[in-house]
Amino acid sequence: MSSTTKESLRTYLLLTLSSLFFGIAFDWFYVPNQISLAGITGIAQILNHWFPVLPIGITVIALNVPLFLLGWKCLGRQLLISSLVAMVTSSLAVDLVAAVHTFQPMDPMLASIFGGIAVGTQLGVVFRLKGTTGGTDLIARLMKLRFPWLPMGTLLMVVDLVVIVAVALVFHNLYSALYGMIALWISTTVIDKVLYGMDTSKVAYIISEQTDRMIPVIREQLDRGVTILPGVGSYTGRPRDVLMCAFKQRQIVDLKKAVLDVDPGAFLIVCDAHDVLGEGFHAYHPDDI
């Protein structure tokens, strides 16, 4: 079996498992507490309320058909296949879990918090695997082509707020909208964390009189390159080199130790860094989200 085939099987297995997880989370936290998930699933909740004969999962699949026809042209074959797998399995999981077990209502705030975490984690995994679950996820993915600088979580929040309000009106329950907004904010925050914050990087600025000794230590102990920036001390007026080094979060203790072992009086500034591209970090891909 080729490495490409193994990677594809791994991707579809993770998509299926995360979609099953979505079905459990939706039926556990959202349905019994009348909290809207927003998006196409929220619209399916409305239709199910008006026409109970319509299962939520099957309705989601039917509503997604025109969106997938549009996405096929804009996003390409591979992403649409991954999205189709995630959408179908998550929708069927909703109906399957509901048929097997009926969850009892719980405290709505707990449902909003843990439902948002569970759904946000699932959607973040699906997005990382280059898929969507259809509906407003797919709309947000299409909007990402037009607004590439906006995080996926933010795009989803903008699209989903309208549906949350509609669900609240149908259920005649303002609290449904308020709890839905809490769950939405948590889920979109978790999505962005899964997409952009799981592999965090840092950048350090080091001011020292011992930069010549420090550079080889950082290279050898951390396997990281160093850039020398020319600087001038405002108090002394003397020229002084400033070292800039990008590194992984897990290396922060090693970096501090390496710097302070060479020069205990060094001035060290560590900042968060996002979207670090280059050797030892990430490569650029035009379809990244």
Side-chain angles (χ1 to χ4, degrees), residues 191-211:
I191 287 170
D192 286 341
K193 197 67 177 176
V194 172
L195 286 176
Y196 312 117
M198 297 299 286
D199 189 20
T200 54
S201 299
K202 301 283 187 180
V203 62
Y205 297 93
I206 307 162
I207 302 172
S208 170
E209 299 284 357
Q210 307 291 330
T211 54

Side-chain angles (χ1 to χ4, degrees), residues 152-201:
M152 280 295 294
T154 300
L155 290 170
L156 268 176
M157 182 178 291
V158 171
V159 175
D160 284 344
L161 280 175
V162 176
V163 180
I164 285 180
V165 174
V167 171
L169 292 174
V170 169
F171 289 133
H172 303 291
N173 188 347
L174 176 62
Y175 292 110
S176 175
L178 296 178
Y179 286 123
M181 289 178 184
I182 293 172
L184 176 62
W185 181 81
I186 292 173
S187 65
T188 52
T189 301
V190 172
I191 287 170
D192 286 341
K193 197 67 177 176
V194 172
L195 286 176
Y196 312 117
M198 297 299 286
D199 189 20
T200 54
S201 299

Side-chain angles (χ1 to χ4, degrees), residues 1-283:
M1 185 181 297
S2 67
S3 59
T4 302
T5 303
K6 289 181 179 178
E7 184 63 26
S8 296
L9 289 175
R10 174 182 171 275
T11 297
Y12 292 126
L13 177 61
L14 288 175
L15 283 173
T16 301
L17 291 176
S18 65
S19 298
L20 291 173
F21 179 65
F22 171 86
I24 296 172
F26 179 73
D27 285 330
W28 188 0
F29 298 112
Y30 288 84
V31 173
N33 299 285
Q34 292 190 341
I35 297 174
S36 171
L37 185 61
I40 294 296
T41 307
I43 296 174
Q45 278 183 286
I46 294 174
L47 294 175
N48 176 260
H49 177 75
W50 286 338
F51 310 102
V53 71
L54 295 176
I56 293 177
I58 298 299
T59 304
V60 169
I61 294 175
L63 293 174
N64 269 292
V65 171
L67 287 175
F68 271 82
L69 293 176
L70 174 63
W72 187 277
K73 179 179 179 180
C74 299
L75 297 176
R77 176 174 174 270
Q78 185 58 47
L79 189 144
L80 263 296
I81 291 176
S82 298
S83 299
L84 186 63
V85 171
M87 185 270 292
V88 171
T89 53
S90 61
S91 300
L92 293 178
V94 168
D95 290 343
L96 179 62
V97 172
V100 172
H101 182 74
T102 300
F103 292 95
Q104 298 302 310
M106 67 172 68
D107 182 277
M109 182 58 74
L110 288 177
S112 300
I113 293 172
F114 288 99
I117 293 172
V119 169
T121 301
Q122 184 267 342
L123 291 177
V125 170
V126 170
F127 288 147
R128 282 184 72 92
L129 295 172
K130 308 297 183 185
T132 72
T133 55
T136 50
D137 303 351
L138 185 54
I139 294 173
R141 188 66 179 87
L142 291 169
M143 290 177 64
K144 184 73 175 178
L145 300 176
R146 179 66 179 83
F147 306 103
W149 61 89
L150 289 176
M152 280 295 294
T154 300
L155 290 170
L156 268 176
M157 182 178 291
V158 171
V159 175
D160 284 344
L161 280 175
V162 176
V163 180
I164 285 180
V165 174
V167 171
L169 292 174
V170 169
F171 289 133
H172 303 291
N173 188 347
L174 176 62
Y175 292 110
S176 175
L178 296 178
Y179 286 123
M181 289 178 184
I182 293 172
L184 176 62
W185 181 81
I186 292 173
S187 65
T188 52
T189 301
V190 172
I191 287 170
D192 286 341
K193 197 67 177 176
V194 172
L195 286 176
Y196 312 117
M198 297 299 286
D199 189 20
T200 54
S201 299
K202 301 283 187 180
V203 62
Y205 297 93
I206 307 162
I207 302 172
S208 170
E209 299 284 357
Q210 307 291 330
T211 54
D212 290 341
R213 293 174 52 210
M214 203 170 290
I215 291 172
V217 172
I218 294 174
R219 285 177 179 166
E220 292 170 9
Q221 294 187 12
L222 280 80
D223 193 25
R224 293 296 175 193
V226 178
T227 299
I228 302 174
L229 306 175
V232 177
S234 64
Y235 182 73
T236 63
R238 291 186 300 166
R240 181 179 295 181
D241 289 336
V242 178
L243 304 184
M244 183 181 73
C245 176
F247 60 97
K248 299 289 188 179
Q249 168 71 40
R250 62 180 179 272
Q251 296 177 304
I252 188 168
V253 174
D254 293 334
L255 178 75
K256 289 179 179 179
K257 184 176 186 303
V259 169
L260 297 178
D261 280 350
V262 174
D263 181 7
F267 193 74
L268 175 65
I269 304 171
V270 178
C271 309
D272 290 330
H274 302 281
D275 296 327
V276 181
L277 305 178
E279 185 176 353
F281 292 91
H282 296 291

